[in-house]
Amino acid sequence: MEPFTKLTGIAAPLPMQNIDTDKIIPARFLKTIKRSGLGVHLFDPLRFNKDGSEKPEFVLNQEPYRKAEIIVAFENFGCGSSREHAPWALLDFGIRCIIAPDFADIFFNNSFKNGILPVRLPREVCDQLVEDAKMGGNARITVDLERQVVVRPNGEEIHFEIDAFRKHLLLNGLDDIGQTLQHGTAIDTYEAQQKQDRSWMPTTTAA
Amino acid sequence: MSASKPRTLFDKIWDAHVVERLPDGTCILYIDRHLLHEVTSPQAFEGLRAAGRKLRRPDLHIAVADHNIPTVGSRVPEDIKEEDSRIQVQTLEKNVVEFGVPYIPILDKRQGIVHIIGPELGLSLPGTTLVCGDSHTSTHGALGSLAFGIGTSEVEHVMATQTLLQAPQKNMRIDVTGTLGLGCTAKDVVLAIIGKITTAGGNGHVIEYTGDTITNLDMAGRMTVSNMTIEAGARAGLIAPDQRTFDYVKGRDFAPKGEAWDKALAYWKTLPTDPGAHYDTNVFMTSAEIAPMVTWGTTPGQVIPVTGVVPDPMLIEDEGKRSQHLRMLEYMGLTPGQHMTDVKVDVIFIGSCTNGRIEDIRAAAHVAKGRKVADGVQALVVPGSGLVKAQAEADGLDRILLEAGFEWRDPCCSMCLGMNPDKITAGQRCASTSNRNFEGRQGIGGRTHLVSPAMAAAAAVTGRFADVRQFG
Ligand code: SF4
């Protein structure tokens, strides 16, 4: 996983609530067995007409937002399905950070696991950042994970909260599995204990 | 631990599964059961392969293909016409062999939608942790299992370590009391709940449903409620196991037997929430707030009684919300003030992990009996599993439905999501017993209204949304 340290880039304003996973990547594009290549379908219902042509009014079809690395959106971003294709599609398009007042839980988790930083900031701040983002290429936004700040184009710094463990993993590009496997003995001990405490537990090979 | 402070059902299951608490509070949580399907697992197997890892406990996993399987014609993988669907199913079949994962083949009569067959086969058990790469895993919470959907990276994590890294969740209680009115079902209960607390209301929480309205539901109804928990933003929705749960589980294929059953039962009886335990959030509702419901918008929270009218966006103060609401009405092809019972339907879908159980099909057949599907309406009934299908046929429900002009299909996710040949087309309006009415969910440009099975059948024979209370 690619580490996330500090990112300065173009932010695309997407001032909508409840951007669900079917908008981020509709179900018909889930029929893949790979993680890459989904960027072309990102936000398909918002981005393309039925004949496949671009909707010019959609922000990611406009310059300079075709190169956006940050998205600023409103409440409940990523609600709906558990499909990890949503962060894969965002990442494949080039998005590394999403700023919103809050996120759906599963999407929030999935983002971290793919090197995307979801930043929770109050709605008033997101309103300001949307305005900043509308200034396009003249107004880059910086997200500094180490210092936990978002820097507005006017230099104002806004602090954000993040779980220390997730921050550590993201800064170092560490994958969760490697981390957990370091606790292998604890898992062994748990399993041995469980065999006694809940000896009734059947396996999936039992029937 | 009798002297410790009172705990909720969720606290108890959580505590019993903590392998290790990390300094920041994140827990390594042991997972007792992992169910896999073909859509969210290929990249996880790919990840394991790339890292040279194996499954730590393949005997706690079980796989089934459901999302891509056609509901008519041949069901063998080689015959699936859409290439990418076929590849996903074949990839699953290859992966389960390579990694030694127990698998329920497509032609096995126990095959079906993963959230239908988990409880049906006794794979989902009280007091266990159960995960699946699918958000409607919340379904299994109806049996008192801490069950939640995970992403593909987490699928890989469970395969490699039999654990997940989880931050503790908050406890929310949704207490519903009172006898349900005529024509009201579990689906109406859960739609009313989501309408009340909104689609983000449960974020960060595990919900426990309590109250006599909930406990009086049969197991199928409880599963319908837990199933849609995720639509209220919470990943897991629990119902305390009681005698009804135990009677349901006993004797099922994978359930504990003999002495193990007695031990399990003794343990399960200790699970219900202790008196005085703390919930971070409490929601109280009564059955008076519940009528036969129908959604009008493109999120499951936009729901009204079938006797209601489409809400007027002009009454909304917040400009952003108002414009979203307007856009939604345009997408749905509805006008403010329109009576839902005047809205015509094109397609009916009865099935999915929300309402694809035998009780649901029975409810639909009850309304369909002696009536005919309205002209120009296509009505699909898709049992949730091979066992549900066999039961329905043994009970003669298929004949009632076929005579009324419904189509009787083979088990799969079908029209719940636009991923297999069963889709609706742009502008078509569907009364659906599934769980999501997002734009394009059932096919590009399709318009979905969520309803109960009886309401869907009533719409089928009327050609419009209809109040099921008028169908004795
Ligand atoms: S029936 Fe629908 S919601 Fe349930 S698992 Fe299948 S696609 Fe998902």
Side-chain angles (χ1 to χ4, degrees):
Chain A
M1 198 175 80
E2 207 169 311
F4 187 111
T5 48
K6 183 174 171 182
L7 167 72
T8 299
I10 291 167
L14 222 58
M16 284 189 266
Q17 299 175 333
N18 299 312
I19 297 180
D20 61 63
T21 48
D22 283 66
K23 284 205 189 74
I24 300 174
I25 181 96
R28 65 185 187 283
F29 300 120
L30 307 189
K31 295 197 276 187
T32 155
I33 55 166
K34 297 236 156 8
R35 290 172 205 245
S36 53
L38 290 165
V40 290
H41 303 304
L42 178 69
F43 294 123
D44 182 275
L46 303 171
R47 198 166 141 210
F48 300 107
N49 292 307
K50 290 195 186 86
D51 62 7
S53 60
E54 287 187 352
K55 294 186 180 177
E57 70 280 10
F58 185 64
V59 64
L60 295 184
N61 290 331
Q62 297 162 4
E63 295 300 345
Y65 302 109
R66 289 179 192 275
K67 293 195 198 67
E69 292 173 276
I70 301 167
I71 285 176
V72 187
F74 290 163
E75 287 81 2
N76 208 23
F77 189 94
C79 58
S81 137
S82 64
R83 63 188 67 149
E84 206 153 320
H85 307 70
W88 294 337
L90 286 159
L91 198 64
D92 197 58
F93 182 90
I95 304 294
R96 292 295 312 275
C97 173
I98 298 158
I99 304 174
D102 56 52
F103 296 84
D105 290 343
I106 301 181
F107 177 84
F108 191 74
N109 281 327
N110 284 342
S111 299
F112 282 106
K113 296 185 193 306
N114 288 283
I116 295 178
L117 172 63
V119 174
R120 280 196 277 238
L121 287 173
R123 173 65 185 258
E124 311 84 76
V125 179
C126 291
D127 282 333
Q128 288 176 340
L129 291 172
V130 162
E131 292 311 313
D132 290 343
K134 283 184 182 160
M135 300 192 308
N138 307 322
R140 286 169 192 255
I141 290 178
T142 296
V143 182
D144 186 338
L145 177 58
E146 180 69 59
R147 295 175 49 230
Q148 294 182 218
V149 288
V150 172
V151 189
R152 296 182 58 197
N154 67 6
E156 185 195 343
E157 296 198 342
I158 304 155
H159 175 80
F160 63 88
E161 290 298 327
I162 179 171
D163 175 275
F165 181 63
R166 293 191 192 273
K167 176 176 171 179
H168 166 76
L169 293 182
L170 214 47
L171 279 174
N172 297 290
L174 294 175
D175 98 320
D176 285 358
I177 298 179
Q179 286 288 305
T180 303
L181 287 175
Q182 294 178 359
H183 300 262
T185 349
I187 304 174
D188 291 341
T189 313
Y190 179 91
E191 270 182 350
Q193 186 65 41
Q194 194 206 32
K195 245 191 190 137
Q196 294 180 8
D197 295 353
R198 280 176 285 152
S199 59
W200 51 268
M201 186 80 71
T203 64
T204 51
T205 49
Chain B
M1 294 253 269
S2 56
S4 61
K5 77 180 205 324
R7 293 182 298 164
T8 63
L9 168 60
F10 165 59
D11 297 338
K12 292 182 194 184
I13 305 178
W14 178 275
D15 291 350
H17 288 86
V18 173
V19 171
E20 203 172 327
R21 212 174 294 269
L22 304 178
D24 70 339
T26 307
C27 292
I28 301 181
L29 200 70
Y30 196 79
I31 301 301
D32 298 321
R33 283 278 179 281
H34 178 213
L35 312 180
L36 299 79
H37 64 75
E38 78 277 21
V39 182
T40 52
S41 66
Q43 292 86 351
F45 283 114
E46 178 195 58
L48 287 182
R49 205 176 282 122
R53 289 171 177 148
K54 293 192 304 217
L55 266 72
R56 181 185 168 95
R57 289 288 307 274
D59 60 332
L60 299 179
H61 301 240
I62 194 160
V64 67
D66 53 7
H67 286 61
N68 282 290
I69 311 297
T71 58
V72 272
S74 166
R75 291 165 67 75
V76 290
E78 305 82 77
D79 293 341
I80 299 177
K81 287 196 193 68
E82 285 184 57
E83 186 184 7
D84 31 15
S85 285
R86 187 174 66 241
I87 291 175
Q88 268 194 344
V89 175
Q90 289 177 325
T91 304
L92 180 69
E93 297 206 323
K94 263 189 263 155
N95 282 330
V96 294
V97 173
E98 180 181 339
F99 288 88
V101 180
Y103 175 61
I104 299 178
I106 297 165
L107 296 180
D108 190 313
K109 69 172 189 312
R110 299 173 306 169
Q111 183 270 349
I113 304 169
V114 66
H115 309 309
I116 300 272
I117 70 171
E120 191 171 73
L121 299 179
L123 287 160
S124 333
L125 298 171
T128 57
T129 47
L130 181 152
V131 297
C132 172
D134 192 289
S135 55
H136 293 98
T137 307
S138 57
T139 313
H140 313 262
L143 291 102
S145 162
L146 178 61
F148 51 90
I150 55 177
T152 299
S153 299
E154 290 177 308
V155 167
E156 188 179 332
H157 195 279
V158 176
M159 289 172 166
T161 70
Q162 205 54 42
T163 67
L164 279 176
L165 293 170
Q166 294 288 302
Q169 306 268 301
K170 283 190 268 191
N171 275 291
M172 173 186 268
R173 170 168 54 153
I174 298 184
D175 187 77
V176 194
T177 51
T179 308
L180 282 176
L182 184 69
C184 295
T185 67
K187 185 64 163 283
D188 305 297
V189 173
V190 71
L191 286 172
I193 290 173
I194 301 166
K196 179 160 177 146
I197 73 170
T198 80
T199 49
N203 279 358
H205 290 82
V206 163
I207 294 177
E208 181 180 346
Y209 299 97
T210 62
D212 61 314
T213 313
I214 302 293
T215 50
N216 284 332
L217 293 173
D218 60 16
M219 290 310 292
R222 294 183 188 184
M223 288 179 221
T224 301
V225 172
S226 290
N227 172 276
M228 288 194 69
T229 301
I230 185 67
E231 311 310 331
R235 292 173 70 184
L238 294 162
I239 297 174
D242 58 11
Q243 194 55 44
R244 191 165 287 180
T245 318
F246 308 143
D247 292 344
Y248 175 90
V249 174
K250 192 166 189 183
R252 293 190 182 262
D253 284 18
F254 291 88
K257 308 252 155 47
E259 198 187 324
W261 170 262
D262 298 334
K263 279 193 189 151
L265 195 61
Y267 176 64
W268 295 344
K269 287 184 174 166
T270 68
L271 290 170
T273 297
D274 300 325
H278 175 74
Y279 293 94
D280 302 277
T281 311
N282 282 287
V283 176
F284 296 98
M285 282 179 74
T286 72
S287 55
E289 297 169 64
I290 302 162
M293 308 297 270
V294 50
T295 62
W296 57 266
T298 54
T299 81
Q302 289 155 330
V303 63
I304 47 174
V306 64
T307 47
V309 298
V310 176
D312 186 352
M314 290 311 158
L315 302 174
I316 301 174
E317 273 180 33
D318 182 284
E319 195 193 313
K321 281 200 183 126
R322 186 166 61 233
S323 67
Q324 266 198 347
H325 190 125
L326 279 166
R327 197 183 115 73
M328 229 174 253
L329 288 185
E330 190 189 313
Y331 181 86
M332 291 300 291
L334 296 170
T335 46
Q338 195 173 6
H339 284 273
M340 285 316 291
T341 47
D342 288 339
V343 177
K344 287 198 173 132
V345 295
D346 306 298
V347 181
I348 308 295
F349 171 57
I350 297 171
S352 86
C353 59
T354 311
N355 283 126
R357 296 179 193 83
I358 186 70
E359 292 81 353
D360 302 312
I361 293 171
R362 209 170 275 142
H366 181 72
V367 173
K369 189 166 188 169
R371 298 192 168 93
K372 286 275 178 235
V373 171
D375 282 346
V377 172
Q378 185 194 19
L380 248 63
V381 184
V382 187
S385 73
L387 292 175
V388 171
K389 183 166 194 250
Q391 178 73 52
E393 290 175 353
D395 294 352
L397 303 177
D398 58 326
R399 286 191 300 281
I400 297 176
L401 290 161
L402 284 165
E403 260 164 42
F406 288 79
E407 295 174 38
W408 178 245
R409 298 288 187 92
D410 284 325
C412 165
C413 293
S414 184
M415 213 178 255
C416 176
L417 90 173
M419 189 156 192
N420 54 69
D422 302 342
K423 292 186 184 78
I424 57 176
T425 55
Q428 275 193 324
R429 187 179 301 285
C430 180
S432 177
T433 67
S434 55
N435 42 53
R436 287 200 172 131
N437 51 348
F438 299 158
E439 283 182 29
R441 170 79 180 182
Q442 294 189 289
I444 307 168
R447 296 163 172 164
T448 304
H449 296 265
L450 304 176
V451 290
S452 74
M455 284 280 288
V461 298
T462 321
R464 291 173 281 111
F465 289 103
D467 189 344
V468 69
R469 286 168 292 201
Q470 291 159 8
F471 287 74

